[in-house]
Amino acid sequence: MLAIGPPGSGKTTYCRAMYAHMKAHNQNVLLVNLDPANDTKIVNFDIDVRELISLEDVMDRLNLGPNGGLMFCMEYLADNLEWLKEKLKGEDPYLIIDSPGQVELFTHHDAIKSIVKTIHETWEMRLCAVNIVDSHHCYDFSKFISGLLLSLSSMLQLELPHVNVLSKVDLLDHEALPHRLEMFTSEMDLAFMAEAVADQDPIMAKYGRLSAAFAELVDDFGLVQFLPLSVKDDESVAKVAKLANKASGHMYMEGDD
């Protein structure tokens, strides 16, 4: 299970909650950090990429900024993936993988795609991407549509089974939402959202036909759907785990419940 998503969406918190959930159900699971910028003092990872390379060291030694440094780190990891394979030697665990939040790494940069392809195809480990989007985007239709298109971009780039999650739904003020939460999950109506954005913003109205075309494409083919998640609710975490295991085929493997 590879957790991806923008900075602040709750990837690390999600990974901790999912790890605790699976441990409580006696699964052989490892928590893996592939984010060279992660604060590993907060979370005890079983495998940590910062043992191989860290963003702080790269920025100091190569005089790079955070974005360039992070891309260098992921390219270095992609070129030295035997490090991870060695860490997994003799193990056959369920992996929960935390990743960087820089969106370019999942939309058009090839380092993460190369890492995923090696793990998924060469090592023959079943992977599912869990794309996490902060539910605060639901307060604004235009922000939600942007997050949805970013999710679609990641799906196309990584070429993995994909589960899209709206995180932190327990923190939402439902009275302040422009519509019921179901509008963003089980009853998503992008055409309605695109029309509402065009009506509210004269600048966006110019792109009304383009927005409507995007909405029609996503709606007609059911390309992106979101599952609400509260990490404080174990039943909510279990639903995401079940859907991710179904998407990756893990739940159909011999011997799995």
Side-chain angles (χ1 to χ4, degrees):
M1 190 183 294
L2 173 68
I4 65 173
S9 58
K11 294 184 299 298
T12 302
T13 303
Y14 163 82
C15 288
R16 291 171 63 186
M18 186 60 69
Y19 179 80
H21 170 78
M22 292 192 171
K23 276 290 189 182
H25 289 78
N26 300 315
Q27 292 210 37
N28 179 21
V29 58
L30 291 180
L31 189 57
V32 180
N33 175 42
L34 292 188
D35 181 3
N38 222 337
D39 185 355
T40 53
K41 294 177 183 177
I42 299 175
V43 184
N44 292 320
F45 291 97
D46 298 303
I47 299 175
D48 186 3
V49 71
R50 287 170 60 89
E51 296 176 9
L52 175 70
I53 189 168
S54 73
L55 177 60
E56 185 179 359
D57 288 344
V58 167
M59 290 174 63
D60 286 345
R61 296 182 185 184
L62 301 181
N63 197 29
L64 292 172
N67 289 344
L70 196 50
M71 287 189 176
F72 178 90
C73 287
M74 300 317 293
E75 289 170 357
Y76 185 86
L77 174 60
D79 291 337
N80 295 272
L81 208 52
E82 286 299 315
W83 168 84
L84 179 58
K85 190 173 184 180
E86 186 64 27
K87 289 286 185 180
L88 296 173
K89 193 174 183 180
E91 297 273 1
D92 186 23
Y94 190 108
L95 302 181
I96 298 174
I97 305 172
D98 195 7
S99 65
Q102 191 171 355
V103 294
E104 299 97 311
L105 293 170
F106 303 99
T107 56
H108 57 269
H109 195 267
D110 285 335
I112 292 283
K113 183 176 182 178
S114 173
I115 293 168
V116 163
K117 187 173 183 179
T118 299
I119 295 173
H120 191 63
E121 297 181 8
T122 306
W123 299 356
E124 297 183 338
M125 299 182 73
R126 296 170 182 264
L127 266 183
C128 174
V130 178
N131 180 59
I132 302 172
V133 175
D134 195 323
S135 61
H136 85 269
H137 291 315
C138 297
Y139 291 121
D140 186 325
F141 282 148
S142 61
K143 288 182 180 179
F144 179 80
I145 293 172
S146 296
L148 182 144
L149 292 177
L150 185 63
S151 300
L152 181 57
S153 233
S154 301
M155 290 169 66
L156 295 173
Q157 170 74 357
L158 294 181
E159 299 178 342
L160 282 176
H162 220 84
V163 173
N164 295 295
V165 169
L166 280 177
S167 64
K168 310 176 188 177
V169 294
D170 53 306
L171 302 179
L172 282 177
D173 178 2
H174 290 258
E175 296 295 325
L177 291 176
H179 213 283
R180 295 182 304 121
L181 182 60
E182 287 78 12
M183 167 69 80
F184 306 94
T185 56
S186 57
E187 301 171 13
M188 189 160 57
D189 187 345
L190 284 179
F192 175 87
M193 295 185 200
E195 186 177 345
V197 171
D199 289 343
Q200 294 169 5
D201 189 336
I203 296 176
M204 292 304 297
K206 293 195 304 181
Y207 305 102
R209 291 175 62 189
L210 177 62
S211 298
F214 271 127
E216 184 179 2
L217 175 67
V218 176
D219 277 340
D220 286 355
F221 288 91
L223 295 176
V224 182
Q225 292 184 322
F226 286 95
L227 188 68
L229 170 69
S230 166
V231 295
K232 296 179 181 178
D233 181 0
D234 191 63
E235 185 177 339
S236 176
V237 175
K239 286 181 180 178
V240 176
K242 183 177 180 179
L243 193 57
N245 289 338
K246 184 177 181 180
S248 67
H250 183 81
M251 69 182 295
Y252 303 115
M253 294 172 66
E254 186 177 354
D256 282 341
D257 294 329

